[in-house]
Amino acid sequence: MSKPFLSIENMTQTFPDGQGGTLTVFEDATFGIDKGEFVCILGHSGCGKSTIMNILAGLAEPTSGVVKMDGFEVSGPSLDRGVVFQNYSLLPWLSTLKNVTFGVKARYPDWSKAKVEAHAREYLAMVGLEGDVVHRKPSQLSGGMRQRVSIARAFANHPKLLLLDEPFGALDALTRGTIQDELLKIWGGTEQTVFMITHDIDEAILLADRILLMTNGPFARVAESVEITIPRPRNRTDIVEHPNYYAIRNHLVQFLGQRSKELAGQQSGGEPQSPTRVVIDKTGPAPDPEPTTKPQLRAVND
Amino acid sequence: MLDNLSTNQRAAVLSVVMLVVGLLIWEAAIPAQKAASELTEYERLTGGGAPKAGVPPPSQVLAKAWEQLSNPFYDAGPNDKGIGIQIGYSIYRVLTGYILAALIAIPLGFLIGMSQVAYKAFNPFIQVLRPISPLAWMPLALFIIQDSEASAIFVIFICSIWPMLINTAFGVAGVRQDWVNVARTHELNGIKTAFMVILPAAAPTIITGMRISIGIAWLVIVAAEMLVGGTGIGYYVWNEWNNLDLTSVIFSILMIGVVGMLLDSAFGFLQRAVTYAE
């Protein structure tokens, strides 16, 4: 088995608990992401999703363990790893266009001014921001438009890995749907590797190739890796008709509602904690791609 | 009649009414000098005919203002210079001291705002030095610098440094971590982060500090010039008091107010230019 594009090996994060001891958020987490893959991570608040995100972005250091991308260990933030923050993090004194050129200029310092601007406009247009609206300040945009700008800024930089930290968490359901579609469209054209945190099960199924499920903290771990066996291109109205949709959805709901608690608090004992691979496919007796792994259908009602 | 005017227009009408009423009350409140022919013989014998020094009526102040402002830059010797020259000297001293203060306060404030250690190390000094009346430095400044002109500039420097220093440190320390993270994920180096993210983010707070400082500097220059003498609007006020020319005193008080307002509105304009809405 070849090394994945991004691999997280034995990553442990502890914080002081304020009473002289330490609080272990997660321990020896070990998983990988392949190039071009769209991976979502689901779990309850406090299980360390955002900590994992910050470590991948290079904004925080794990207590121990390594993150390797393309075979090299990463440390510190880098333009190779673009981040879309939940609160958009646009610079409010810059116009929409300037917020995107800010990133492009950082990424391609030797591009001409005209080239930078044309590139920024192209990516803004991909998320539906064209014309005079690009000269508005972020405060004059709706929440959905601000997140579009943030997504355009991240994609325009062509990062090797794109990190999305609950990008739609603060948006209403209708806007969220529209921007999810736009995200799928822009992602489809780039083969970008994406790692995304979300709380929304339907969003995760619509967007992801694979969903990582985390147990509750402390001593949280990435317990399962569920493959989304629904072919692309996906469409929110069609995927619910797919025979696998509710099987996968029920499995996820079961996990988050029940098993995330039951599996919580298990210490690793120093062993790497890799997620169990779960494939749910009801479309017929398809050949198992890797017959040596766990049973094809895990019990969903245990 | 006032109903179809905008708020601004109504306010302007009210301002003019207040001004006119105030001036009329002032004019009416000044007792007229009796003409010599109306006095009794006894009053004339006891010196009642000599003009009494009193607060001048606004009409005299306006006449004085017209006279002074129509020829503001005349120079007829050390004790007789036009109002424009006097104000020019004051503004020169204020700006020199103020710019020197800004050159130190803003970079130092950046440092203090960026580093917790620097903040805590500098804080006791700032807290002790800040409440000292700038004029209290004057004797020490005169002794060490041995030059009244430079001492006045030093007093302006020392009074305008604190609001700029404190506001810069406060503004820089309060820059949202999200924006700093944007700079970090875009691999901006320290200098670029300072100029492209932290400076614009903290600019409204920094400019507020600069605006407070220029106001204080303009307050202090009048007092400082009364002490050091020679030139400047503060010296002018004191000189006219010694001449018992209250008309000129009142006129120069008004000029101090007008120049202070102009300085403040320049910074108000700058403040609006850098303010952003979140």
Side-chain angles (χ1 to χ4, degrees):
Chain A
M1 196 182 127
S2 67
K3 278 266 180 192
F5 167 68
L6 178 81
S7 65
I8 287 93
E9 296 166 15
N10 289 61
M11 192 161 73
T12 301
Q13 180 72 54
T14 60
F15 291 116
D17 64 0
Q19 290 149 19
T22 54
L23 177 77
T24 305
V25 187
F26 48 80
E27 211 177 21
D28 293 307
T30 303
F31 60 94
I33 297 173
D34 289 326
K35 204 171 180 70
E37 210 178 11
F38 197 128
V39 175
C40 282
I41 188 158
L42 272 173
H44 288 277
S45 299
C47 69
K49 300 188 299 289
S50 292
T51 310
I52 292 181
M53 176 68 78
N54 282 338
I55 292 169
L56 292 182
L59 297 170
E61 287 275 324
T63 311
S64 66
V66 287
V67 179
K68 283 183 189 162
M69 191 163 82
D70 256 349
F72 293 99
E73 189 174 334
V74 299
S75 68
S78 153
L79 281 162
D80 285 337
R81 279 161 282 134
V83 191
V84 174
F85 299 93
Q86 180 179 8
N87 52 12
Y88 329 127
S89 288
L90 300 174
L91 304 176
W93 54 90
L94 297 177
S95 69
T96 298
L97 180 63
K98 290 269 167 61
N99 261 291
V100 181
T101 56
F102 172 90
V104 180
K105 261 189 275 185
R107 179 71 169 173
Y108 304 105
D110 34 332
W111 278 14
S112 73
K113 224 179 155 190
K115 190 171 179 189
V116 167
E117 192 181 315
H119 186 76
R121 280 179 187 274
E122 183 193 333
Y123 277 83
L124 280 168
M126 280 189 208
V127 290
L129 295 172
E130 285 176 282
D132 283 343
V133 79
V134 303
H135 297 298
R136 287 204 215 151
K137 296 275 167 69
S139 58
Q140 297 163 307
L141 301 176
S142 66
M145 283 160 113
R146 287 186 211 180
Q147 195 55 287
R148 286 188 173 101
V149 179
S150 187
I151 289 170
R153 180 173 68 185
F155 272 93
N157 273 6
H158 305 138
K160 288 182 185 167
L161 172 67
L162 185 61
L163 301 163
L164 305 172
D165 187 358
E166 285 187 57
F168 311 123
L171 303 177
D172 64 88
L174 288 174
T175 313
R176 193 184 301 180
T178 325
I179 304 187
Q180 283 163 0
D181 291 341
E182 277 164 5
L183 178 66
L184 270 184
K185 209 169 63 190
I186 189 170
W187 175 75
T190 56
E191 293 300 308
Q192 180 79 56
T193 312
V194 181
F195 182 75
M196 169 166 157
I197 293 182
T198 177
H199 276 130
D200 184 333
I201 292 175
D202 295 297
E203 175 175 285
I205 299 175
L206 173 69
L207 297 173
D209 294 315
R210 203 147 61 79
I211 297 177
L212 299 175
L213 292 170
M214 281 189 86
T215 63
N216 293 359
F219 295 105
R221 57 201 185 89
V222 183
E224 289 188 2
S225 158
V226 181
E227 298 203 3
I228 307 302
T229 45
I230 300 173
R232 293 184 190 270
R234 296 181 195 151
N235 175 314
R236 70 182 57 258
T237 46
D238 295 345
I239 58 167
V240 294
E241 311 284 342
H242 195 275
N244 290 345
Y245 183 81
Y246 279 102
I248 294 169
R249 195 175 190 284
N250 291 344
H251 180 81
L252 299 177
V253 171
Q254 271 291 332
F255 182 92
L256 291 174
Q258 204 180 343
R259 292 196 302 123
S260 63
K261 284 196 271 298
E262 293 166 6
L263 295 170
Q266 295 178 4
Q267 303 200 10
S268 70
E271 292 293 309
Q273 301 288 297
S274 297
T276 314
R277 183 163 172 270
V278 178
V279 182
I280 298 168
D281 196 347
K282 300 207 161 174
T283 51
D288 196 331
E290 273 177 78
T292 53
T293 50
K294 302 265 164 157
Q296 188 178 22
L297 242 176
R298 261 191 75 118
V300 288
N301 297 319
D302 56 355
Chain B
M1 184 191 84
L2 286 171
D3 286 349
N4 40 16
L5 294 177
S6 74
T7 315
N8 282 345
Q9 287 167 323
R10 272 189 261 176
V13 169
L14 192 57
S15 290
V16 170
V17 169
M18 285 194 285
L19 178 68
V20 170
V21 170
L23 290 177
L24 284 176
I25 292 173
W26 178 6
E27 186 87 41
I30 309 292
Q33 298 271 349
K34 282 184 182 173
S37 56
E38 293 170 28
L39 298 173
T40 61
E41 190 173 358
Y42 175 75
E43 280 172 327
R44 268 186 307 233
L45 282 172
T46 54
K52 263 193 259 174
V55 175
S59 51
Q60 272 185 37
V61 176
L62 281 178
K64 183 79 185 176
W66 178 253
E67 179 201 321
Q68 284 284 338
L69 291 176
S70 52
N71 184 16
F73 297 110
Y74 75 89
D75 188 352
N79 272 339
D80 191 8
K81 293 185 202 298
I83 188 81
I85 292 182
Q86 304 289 22
I87 288 177
Y89 273 113
S90 297
I91 290 178
Y92 156 72
R93 288 185 190 127
V94 162
L95 290 186
T96 312
Y98 180 83
I99 289 167
L100 287 174
L103 288 179
I104 291 179
I106 292 171
L108 191 61
F110 240 85
L111 174 75
I112 295 175
M114 300 275 261
S115 147
Q116 286 256 323
V117 176
Y119 184 86
K120 290 189 172 161
F122 275 97
N123 198 36
F125 298 104
I126 296 173
Q127 295 309 330
V128 170
L129 295 174
R130 189 175 58 116
I132 298 172
S133 163
L135 293 175
W137 292 98
M138 188 62 105
L140 192 62
L142 284 169
F143 178 77
I144 293 173
I145 304 172
Q146 307 255 319
D147 178 75
S148 63
E149 170 85 22
S151 298
I153 291 173
F154 172 77
V155 167
I156 296 302
F157 167 82
I158 204 80
C159 77
S160 42
I161 200 166
W162 308 116
M164 285 196 270
L165 185 64
I166 292 166
N167 265 47
T168 306
F170 182 74
V172 168
V175 171
R176 276 177 43 187
Q177 190 57 39
D178 298 337
W179 301 335
V180 177
N181 282 346
V182 169
R184 292 179 64 197
T185 53
H186 286 87
E187 286 185 33
L188 298 190
N189 60 30
I191 302 284
K192 276 193 175 168
T193 305
F195 279 97
M196 292 172 72
V197 177
I198 293 175
L199 188 62
T205 323
I206 296 174
I207 301 286
T208 305
M210 295 178 79
R211 194 173 175 182
I212 296 169
S213 277
I214 197 82
I216 293 176
W218 189 246
L219 290 179
V220 167
I221 193 64
V222 174
E225 284 170 347
M226 284 180 178
L227 281 176
V228 300
T231 47
I233 188 76
Y235 167 74
Y236 180 83
V237 174
W238 201 247
N239 197 33
E240 297 302 334
W241 158 240
N242 286 334
N243 295 339
L244 268 184
D245 183 354
L246 283 179
T247 316
S248 292
V249 169
I250 293 174
F251 165 65
S252 49
I253 288 174
L254 289 175
M255 288 309 293
I256 293 170
V258 169
V259 173
M261 184 190 76
L262 291 177
L263 288 173
D264 185 67
S265 39
F267 278 90
F269 179 77
L270 204 57
Q271 201 171 22
R272 276 192 295 282
V274 298
T275 299
Y276 53 84
E278 277 187 44

